[in-house]
Amino acid sequence: MADIWGAGMPHARGTVWPARVDQHLADGVTEDQVDRWVGSACLLCSNGCGCDIAVKDGRMVGIRGRATDVVNHGRLGPKGLYGSTAWAHAPDRLTRPMIRDGGLLVDCDWETAMGRVVEVSKRLLREQGPLSHGFYTSGQLFLEEYYTLAVLGKAGVGTPHMDGNTRLCTATAAAALKESFGADGQPGSYTDIEHCDAIFLYGHNMAETQTVLWARILDRTRAADPPRLVCVDPRRTKVAEEAERTGGVHLAPRVGTNLALLNGLTRELFEHGWVDHDWVREHTLGADDLRDIVEAYTPERTAEICGVAPDDLRRAARIFGESGNVLSTVLQGFYQSHQATASAVAVNNLHLLRGLIGRPGSGILQMNGQPTAQNNRECGADGDLPGFRNWDNEQHIEQLAKLWNVDPLVIPHWAPPTHAMQIFSYAEEGSIGFLWISATNPAVSMPESARIRRILDGDQCFVVVQDLFLTETARLADVVLPAAGWGEKTGTFTNVNRTVHLSDQAVEPPGEARSDLDIFLAYAEAMDFRDRDGEPLITWRTAEEAFDAWREVTRGRPVDYTGLTYEKLRGPTGIPWPVNEHAPEGTDRLYADAVFPTATETCETYGHDLLTGGAVTEQEHRALRPDGRAFLKGAQYTPAHEMPSEDYPLLYTTGRTVYQFHTRTKTARSRSLREAAPDMWVELSPVDAERLGIAEGDIVRVESPRGAFEAQARVGQVMPGAVFAPFHYGTPGLPGEVPRQANELTMTVWDPVSKQPYFKTAACRVRKIRDGGGPAPAPTTAASAPAQPGAAPATAGGALTVSRAVPVPAYPNDPSCAAEPGSR
Ligand SMILES: Nc1nc2c(c(=O)[nH]1)N[C@H]1C(S)=C(S)[C@@H](COP(=O)(O)OP(=O)(O)OC[C@H]3O[C@@H](n4cnc5c(=O)[nH]c(N)nc54)[C@H](O)[C@@H]3O)O[C@H]1N2
Ligand SMILES: Nc1nc2c(c(=O)[nH]1)N[C@H]1C(S)=C(S)[C@@H](COP(=O)(O)OP(=O)(O)OC[C@H]3O[C@@H](n4cnc5c(=O)[nH]c(N)nc54)[C@H](O)[C@@H]3O)O[C@H]1N2
Ligand code: SF4
Ligand SMILES: [Mo]
């Protein structure tokens, strides 16, 4: 637990990342007692580490990394090891459906619960039509489940009101990829780590949020000839420390000023001639406009806006400009902060200006967070259309209509699909009277919690919640459906670098819990959705049949799954798409030929103005003749919606800690993880703490114009003027307990292009309530450590892991395997 990244295995540039198998078995279980190991991948973040699930007496009792998997080479991190199976047999798992009766949720059988769902659904469809229906799903279901939901929602119900919590998570990643390259899909690969000269991490605390990927980076930075790191984060994270250690830079911009910083970096590239003009002319559009936009962002002006030193900015730009190969990663410090899409696109711009794309070591990872967010974006249960199709392109709609054998008019495409924030507004007004929430806990995870609770609790909207547990959200539902979780059902999912894994069912779900696929299929059947010939709309019954239907949807699209089968995925490793007759073993890296899916006929969007979100029309797009060239797009920096004021003088930002996953439904049921970060805290800089008379562990009240919580203060690593709160801790709900969730304070505002809400920019004030009687319950092992070493007892626990180095297998697609055969 304390040794988050495990023992280092440093290795030379261009050689294969060494393999090591990490394994954890539940208390009292030994390896020889395990009955079977079942192939899967970890479902606790977007890294998608290949693993096997240990099964004993019909129960999941542990996990082991897969040495042969390209993604993780056998490694697992603390969440994967301790959090993957502990929740499965928790005594409070939902095992029966529930319905609200006389104000209370009471157990019932499936017939009653589904009967209630179908009755309300049919009535509203009859009386008010498809716009009365909303679906809010997840980044944690399986591909087959999203695809089924997408078909029943778009071709069955016919509603545009369908989105996922991916809107809160990686809508900006998708938007940035679409704006620059024409379609979603990660250009880069993890193998870029083995070949790069510099790594830029933008608003990405990878050391805590993708621990195995971070271990992979450490194995290069701790070896000879390391890449230099540049960290852009207002906290002094482990990433920031490593940036300093490697002779790189930690840029700590004022919260909400990312775009100004990036405009400053971009200007430096132009000023110093770090632009590959030939490449830019041949493969991109928009360089002149971009240069005009960034002209005013001199190092001095940028430094003033962002609160960084001008020379640090210059040094960072020089590292980008002069390194042979650069890998960039971007995550929530950008996606959930002010001017999200413009800032994320600016990272793509930097790579395009130097032509650093499509070759080993030069990659962009517009990261994902959730393990299956990518699949939701591919399958279109999130406000996209299946197969990265463009809702504004009639031909794309016709392709789907043909695949589903329905009239094109049934598929909603008269306006952009409704995004989650809008779906909740419609549910608030009651124009959406039926809202089906699956595998997400918005009562804790959406901004402005009090408002979300009101929407879910009110009578204006009938709420169905499908989950493993009676969450804060489920408690407000009208019907609760018990779902089978990871290991209890079969399906595929795709990690951030496009690697597809199959997760086979290992055990039976508890009680009457059913897989999400079975639940969606049962609804579709009860609703009697039909195609244009009167045949059942959905023809599949099993996950594998759903996958096979999906493969056809991807034919000819950038996200090509046609060469994948369940059989192939039962092999030694996950496989990155596209997989087809040209690339039967998959594709490590996109755009090696510098041809981008931007042609008007192909692209997933015609694009937007990054400042206002105004849409580009088909005619405008066609007139630009993008024809495979990438777009360089910029925007001016504007101040955030809510800036510090006299009343609320501090910047408020939120995020994660290494030991907890989201609203903790899984991680809090592992004793080791729970105890490592047991309760809410809030981080202040030493300067602000002193000014406010706050000491480590004091109980403080944090307030914004929208709400407040009380928690113990950690005098920590956040930059002066800012406050950081973890968002994992829900409201206890016991009488007399004060709310303590980070989202009580956040605001209902979103990015104009990606529509991703801004969890990382608001204003707040903090005051001391009373002594806390000890240090804050924040872990000491990473960014939440106290500023003063030793101010809190060291985080420990969970020594039940074994790790063993193993000979390196040959990884298909890994360019280091080809270049250095001797290193295997
Ligand atoms: N342990 C753990 N790992 C996880 C998850 C988890 O819950 N727990 N969740 C998974 C998911 S779904 C996601 S989306 C990812 C998220 O992974 P990350 O994006 O790495 O996590 P966050 O902590 O949300 O935010 C990253 C950093 O953004 C910084 N930040 C805040 N405001 C700003 C700003 O204005 N500008 C800049 N540049 N930085 C800012 C914060 O200080 C923080 O360190 O993690 C995934 N992995
Ligand atoms: N303030 C603030 N708020 C944030 C963020 C932030 O950084 N700051 N980050 C945002 C981000 S990036 C994300 S991804 C969201 C995450 O927010 P949520 O999606 O609300 O978080 P989870 O706790 O992962 O919720 C997933 C739910 O699905 C259930 N579940 C798990 N597996 C299954 C399954 O197979 N089937 C079904 N039916 N249910 C299942 C779990 O029990 C859990 O209740 O939070 C967002 N909210
Ligand atoms: S890095 Fe992510 S996918 Fe890998 S073990 Fe950790 S939580 Fe699981
Ligand atoms: Mo996320």
Side-chain angles (χ1 to χ4, degrees):
M1 289 286 290
D3 188 12
I4 298 170
W5 309 286
M9 301 180 85
H11 67 110
R13 167 202 298 269
T15 62
V16 184
W17 185 37
R20 181 184 81 211
V21 173
D22 296 334
Q23 172 180 310
H24 168 75
L25 294 175
D27 259 337
V29 178
T30 55
E31 208 171 314
D32 57 317
Q33 292 173 340
V34 173
D35 299 332
R36 311 180 278 131
W37 293 92
V38 180
S40 183
C42 174
L43 200 76
L44 288 171
C45 87
S46 58
N47 209 50
C49 295
C51 66
D52 294 294
I53 306 170
V55 179
K56 176 178 183 287
D57 304 331
R59 291 164 73 102
M60 295 194 277
V61 292
I63 188 167
R64 172 176 81 189
R66 273 201 171 187
T68 52
D69 199 284
V70 281
V71 169
N72 57 318
H73 295 204
R75 317 286 186 96
L76 297 171
K79 283 204 313 307
L81 288 164
Y82 295 92
S84 283
T85 58
W87 53 273
H89 307 287
D92 56 343
R93 271 295 293 277
L94 285 171
T95 55
R96 298 197 65 193
M98 302 171 94
I99 51 168
R100 195 163 291 281
D101 191 9
L104 293 177
L105 278 175
V106 293
D107 282 354
C108 65
D109 56 25
W110 271 102
E111 210 184 313
T112 310
M114 193 50 92
R116 176 80 64 94
V117 171
V118 169
E119 172 206 315
V120 176
S121 182
K122 280 190 170 160
R123 178 169 52 75
L124 281 171
L125 277 182
R126 201 170 52 237
E127 292 171 2
Q128 296 175 26
L131 296 182
S132 60
H133 278 52
F135 294 86
Y136 181 55
T137 187
S138 184
Q140 297 172 46
L141 296 183
F142 291 164
L143 178 151
E144 295 76 1
E145 297 170 332
Y146 296 127
Y147 181 57
T148 303
L149 179 60
V151 178
L152 78 80
K154 288 177 205 310
V157 176
T159 178
H161 305 326
M162 178 180 281
D163 203 355
N165 67 358
T166 45
R167 187 66 59 184
L168 321 180
C169 182
T170 54
T172 304
L177 293 169
K178 291 182 213 174
E179 294 294 332
S180 298
F181 310 124
D184 194 348
Q186 221 46 254
S189 163
Y190 288 173
T191 59
D192 290 329
I193 294 171
E194 278 79 59
H195 301 271
C196 64
D197 303 289
I199 308 178
F200 279 60
L201 297 103
Y202 297 96
H204 184 188
N205 184 11
M206 189 198 283
E208 296 192 59
T209 56
Q210 275 90 15
T211 57
V212 170
L213 197 58
W214 182 245
R216 189 164 183 162
I217 289 181
L218 288 179
D219 284 345
R220 273 221 58 209
T221 59
R222 302 295 170 104
D225 192 16
R228 277 182 296 174
L229 264 49
V230 174
C231 167
V232 182
D233 195 308
R235 287 192 305 159
R236 193 159 185 277
T237 59
K238 290 288 167 191
V239 177
E241 286 177 26
E242 197 65 9
E244 286 164 5
R245 217 191 55 81
T246 56
V249 188
H250 173 206
L251 293 167
R254 219 167 257 135
V255 168
T257 63
N258 294 322
L259 184 58
L261 188 87
L262 266 289
N263 284 351
L265 289 173
T266 309
R267 183 180 182 278
E268 287 289 285
L269 291 201
F270 282 115
E271 283 296 301
H272 292 270
W274 293 318
V275 173
D276 184 339
H277 290 286
D278 291 341
W279 198 92
V280 166
R281 205 172 309 114
E282 206 169 328
H283 300 296
T284 71
L285 283 166
D288 293 341
D289 288 347
L290 180 63
R291 181 161 198 167
D292 290 345
I293 286 170
V294 301
E295 191 50 47
Y297 296 82
T298 60
E300 285 68 28
R301 172 159 181 250
T302 305
E304 199 181 304
I305 298 171
C306 303
V308 302
D311 279 343
D312 283 350
L313 182 86
R314 288 194 181 94
R315 277 205 301 134
R318 184 168 292 278
I319 293 174
F320 195 94
E322 296 186 340
S323 296
N325 282 299
V326 184
L327 171 64
S328 292
T329 77
V330 192
L331 200 44
Q332 300 308 356
F334 270 46
Y335 300 164
Q336 295 173 340
S337 193
H338 186 54
Q339 299 191 285
T341 305
S343 308
V345 162
V347 175
N348 297 343
N349 291 343
L350 292 177
H351 279 261
L352 290 169
L353 286 173
R354 286 205 54 212
L356 295 182
I357 190 163
R359 62 178 203 231
S362 278
I364 302 169
L365 293 168
Q366 295 283 355
M367 287 297 292
N368 294 346
Q370 291 178 93
T372 78
Q374 188 66 48
N375 303 103
N376 198 353
R377 279 149 47 187
E378 294 165 4
C379 294
D382 73 326
D384 289 309
L385 286 183
F388 293 166
R389 286 180 174 82
N390 181 355
W391 67 268
D392 210 3
N393 180 332
E394 285 296 336
Q395 251 121 51
H396 286 190
I397 301 295
E398 267 160 38
Q399 290 163 5
L400 289 176
K402 208 166 145 216
L403 283 158
W404 298 337
N405 193 27
V406 295
D407 189 317
L409 289 176
V410 174
I411 304 170
H413 66 285
W414 57 88
T418 318
H419 60 89
M421 302 302 290
Q422 196 65 47
I423 289 177
F424 274 76
S425 293
Y426 291 153
E428 185 172 30
E429 297 157 8
S431 78
I432 288 181
F434 174 96
L435 180 62
W436 189 331
I437 298 171
S438 46
T440 180
N441 188 7
V444 181
S445 58
M446 277 199 134
E448 219 184 324
S449 304
R451 169 174 177 262
I452 299 298
R453 281 193 295 269
R454 225 170 28 241
I455 295 171
L456 295 171
D457 203 19
D459 292 333
Q460 83 295 349
C461 182
F462 178 84
V463 176
V464 182
V465 172
Q466 186 167 314
D467 206 289
L468 312 175
F469 295 98
L470 196 61
T471 60
E472 290 84 346
T473 303
R475 278 181 229 142
L476 303 174
D478 295 290
V479 174
V480 177
L481 304 176
W486 178 86
E488 297 166 347
K489 58 183 181 179
T490 293
T492 53
F493 49 97
T494 305
N495 84 337
V496 59
N497 76 341
R498 295 170 278 103
T499 306
V500 186
H501 283 108
L502 172 66
S503 184
D504 266 313
Q505 181 174 0
V507 298
E508 289 301 319
E512 294 171 33
R514 290 188 188 170
S515 77
D516 297 271
L517 179 65
D518 286 346
I519 300 173
F520 292 142
L521 288 174
Y523 169 73
E525 188 170 298
M527 294 297 288
D528 199 25
F529 295 130
R530 301 268 159 176
D531 69 10
R532 69 195 320 170
D533 295 327
E535 296 298 318
L537 174 68
I538 294 176
T539 49
W540 49 91
R541 282 284 157 271
T542 65
E544 187 163 3
E545 288 165 13
F547 186 80
D548 289 340
W550 163 250
R551 286 162 55 201
E552 280 314 305
V553 178
T554 67
R555 192 174 291 281
R557 295 299 299 158
V559 50
D560 194 338
Y561 275 70
T562 48
L564 282 174
T565 59
Y566 269 30
E567 195 194 335
K568 197 159 182 171
L569 290 168
R570 288 202 174 96
T573 178
I575 302 172
W577 63 250
V579 194
N580 50 29
E581 65 272 26
H582 309 297
E585 296 312 316
T587 310
D588 188 41
R589 184 175 292 100
L590 300 184
Y591 311 138
D593 54 0
V595 175
F596 302 91
T598 50
T600 306
E601 297 70 32
T602 314
C603 66
E604 194 177 355
T605 174
Y606 301 131
H608 300 82
D609 176 74
L610 298 185
L611 188 65
T612 61
V616 177
T617 64
E618 185 196 332
Q619 288 81 353
E620 288 164 340
H621 191 269
R622 204 176 283 284
L624 290 169
R625 290 206 260 124
D627 299 340
R629 286 175 292 175
F631 287 98
L632 289 161
K633 287 189 173 185
Q636 300 289 347
Y637 161 77
T638 59
H641 293 77
E642 187 171 81
M643 296 294 275
S645 61
E646 215 169 291
D647 274 354
Y648 300 97
L650 294 165
L651 282 158
Y652 178 70
T653 194
T654 62
R656 297 165 162 74
T657 186
V658 59
Y659 300 112
Q660 299 297 354
F661 183 67
H662 298 170
T663 73
R664 297 185 306 142
T665 59
K666 287 184 173 171
T667 47
R669 287 173 174 86
S670 143
R671 188 165 50 83
S672 304
L673 293 170
R674 185 176 62 243
E675 289 176 358
D679 206 346
M680 184 63 174
W681 73 87
V682 60
E683 294 170 28
L684 292 166
S685 75
V687 200
D688 292 317
E690 187 174 342
R691 195 172 44 78
L692 296 164
I694 293 167
E696 170 65 36
D698 283 353
I699 311 265
V700 297
R701 187 172 173 82
V702 189
E703 289 172 305
S704 84
R706 292 154 298 279
F709 66 81
E710 289 174 14
Q712 282 187 283
R714 162 64 32 100
V715 180
Q717 315 281 340
V718 67
M719 76 186 289
V723 167
F724 176 92
F727 87 100
H728 306 293
Y729 302 90
T731 306
L734 299 173
E737 282 190 291
V738 278
R740 53 173 187 159
Q741 59 187 55
N743 279 322
E744 303 291 341
L745 275 67
T746 48
M747 43 189 334
T748 306
V749 288
W750 55 82
D751 183 71
V753 182
S754 68
K755 321 293 182 198
Q756 181 158 351
Y758 290 158
F759 290 109
K760 296 203 174 3
T761 32
C764 73
R765 63 181 172 226
V766 181
R767 70 186 152 87
K768 177 172 169 172
I769 302 289
R770 60 178 185 278
D771 286 345
T780 62
T781 43
S784 301
Q788 202 185 354
T795 304
L800 299 160
T801 302
V802 293
S803 292
R804 49 176 182 263
V806 295
V808 183
Y811 297 103
N813 278 317
D814 186 335
S816 8
C817 290
E820 302 263 348
S823 67
R824 277 184 206 160

